[in-house]
Amino acid sequence: MIFESHAHYDDEAFDEDRQELLGSLKNHGIDKVVNVGASLKSCEITLRLMREYPFIYGAMGVHPSETAELNEDNFAWLRAQCTCDKVVAVGEIGLDYYWKEPETSVQKMWFERQMGLAKEAGLPVIIHSRDAAKDTLDMLKALHAGEIGGVIHCYSYTKELAREYLNMDYYFGIGGVITFKNSKKLKEAVEYIPLENILLETDSPYLTPEPNRGKRNSSLNLPAVAEAIAELKGITCQEVEETTYQNACRLFRITE
Ligand code: NI
């Protein structure tokens, strides 16, 4: 059984066949999914999906590139949603310096405020960090993120930086990028990171693994990710799927 720790099934890329696709996941061994908010609208749709599908859980948060939409009023709404049943994390939140919009001071302010939401609600965080390695780590350390717990989604930094996050007992979201030929740095990091700290994720509809790279992604492609990890670590696919399933249940405090 597979735990999909990061998908965006609220995305319009799934408007045509969302019901059919989500309905088919269980038959393909995808047992649980965390649908991750990236904007206020996607949080709203995530809440609806969680209510409609027993196996879908939700994360509430606003992606750094979308933080210009936040204000005190809608932030209060976001805070209230964090106490809903089946909301298992605050995310995705963080810093994105690839797209320097909005400016970094705005991104940082809302990152800190949303970290506060997680602390207050007793939820782990899902961190988005792109081209912002130093500032992300500095902020997480300053905010005592180790006490909050979380996952670095779509981990893209070095093995050396991975050690810093392991010291905080963080998890690493690994997805389609691990199957790309040019992902040498990530492969080194994944070899180094203990399996107990890895989560499987797709970031659907983005980052489709080989051999389907470029097409729309879905959780159905996760076996290819598990296989790539298994190969790097010299273990079986089944071991990767089982351990990462337990890891996700532990991080998101899902017991059943
Ligand atoms: Ni994402």
Side-chain angles (χ1 to χ4, degrees):
M1 284 193 309
I2 290 178
F3 195 126
E4 155 76 282
S5 68
H6 194 119
H8 301 284
Y9 284 118
D10 51 279
D11 195 282
E12 60 185 15
F14 298 106
D15 282 355
E16 299 257 301
D17 61 347
R18 183 175 291 107
Q19 211 172 359
E20 198 186 332
L21 176 64
L22 292 177
S24 75
L25 292 185
K26 281 256 179 189
N27 292 336
H28 289 90
I30 314 297
D31 190 68
K32 288 180 174 47
V33 173
V34 175
N35 201 76
V36 180
S39 63
L40 292 164
K41 185 168 174 242
S42 74
C43 286
E44 265 177 55
I45 304 174
T46 297
L47 291 164
R48 283 213 296 276
L49 291 173
M50 274 164 37
R51 284 169 194 140
E52 203 172 327
Y53 297 91
F55 63 92
I56 295 186
Y57 297 79
M60 293 291 118
V62 173
H63 184 288
S65 304
E66 304 289 336
T67 46
E69 71 171 340
L70 283 169
N71 57 44
E72 291 307 324
D73 283 348
N74 55 34
F75 188 73
W77 177 84
L78 194 63
R79 165 186 278 134
Q81 307 321 308
C82 290
T83 61
C84 289
D85 196 28
K86 289 177 79 192
V87 168
V88 294
V90 170
E92 58 187 284
I93 61 173
L95 300 173
D96 194 317
Y97 294 175
Y98 180 82
W99 307 106
K100 280 207 169 162
E101 257 315 294
E103 56 184 285
T104 56
S105 61
V106 174
Q107 292 190 29
K108 283 183 179 176
M109 180 186 78
W110 290 113
F111 183 23
E112 184 169 348
R113 294 284 305 271
Q114 293 185 93
M115 286 294 292
L117 282 189
K119 196 166 197 172
E120 191 182 297
L123 294 173
V125 287
I126 297 173
I127 303 293
H128 171 103
S129 176
R130 189 173 186 195
D131 293 352
K134 187 179 185 304
D135 281 5
T136 307
L137 184 65
D138 287 351
M139 279 187 72
L140 286 175
K141 278 186 174 167
L143 297 167
H144 305 286
E147 292 162 23
I148 296 171
V151 53
I152 311 296
H153 142 66
C154 191
Y155 188 72
S156 60
Y157 297 133
T158 60
K159 173 179 153 180
E160 286 70 30
L161 196 66
R163 188 176 307 137
E164 297 272 0
Y165 286 116
L166 282 170
N167 287 338
M168 303 186 343
D169 203 21
Y170 263 52
Y171 291 81
F172 299 78
I174 305 299
V177 177
I178 194 72
T179 68
F180 298 172
K181 280 203 178 66
N182 57 1
S183 66
K184 189 166 167 268
K185 186 178 75 171
L186 178 62
K187 287 187 175 110
E188 273 172 20
V190 168
E191 275 180 287
Y192 169 74
I193 298 165
L195 187 61
E196 285 64 34
N197 287 77
I198 290 176
L199 304 185
L200 295 183
E201 65 166 44
T202 57
D203 206 22
S204 294
Y206 310 108
L207 298 173
T208 310
E210 295 287 2
N212 296 316
R213 190 174 178 180
K215 295 184 190 150
R216 183 186 75 173
N217 203 1
S218 84
S219 309
L220 299 176
N221 290 318
L222 279 171
V225 175
E227 208 174 291
I229 296 172
E231 210 168 290
L232 281 171
K233 292 199 167 291
I235 54 177
T236 64
C237 236
Q238 196 188 347
E239 201 175 340
V240 172
E241 291 179 10
E242 277 171 12
T243 304
T244 55
Y245 186 97
Q246 289 160 10
N247 296 344
C249 289
R250 193 164 61 242
L251 174 65
F252 298 124
R253 293 161 204 154
I254 295 170
T255 48
E256 57 187 74

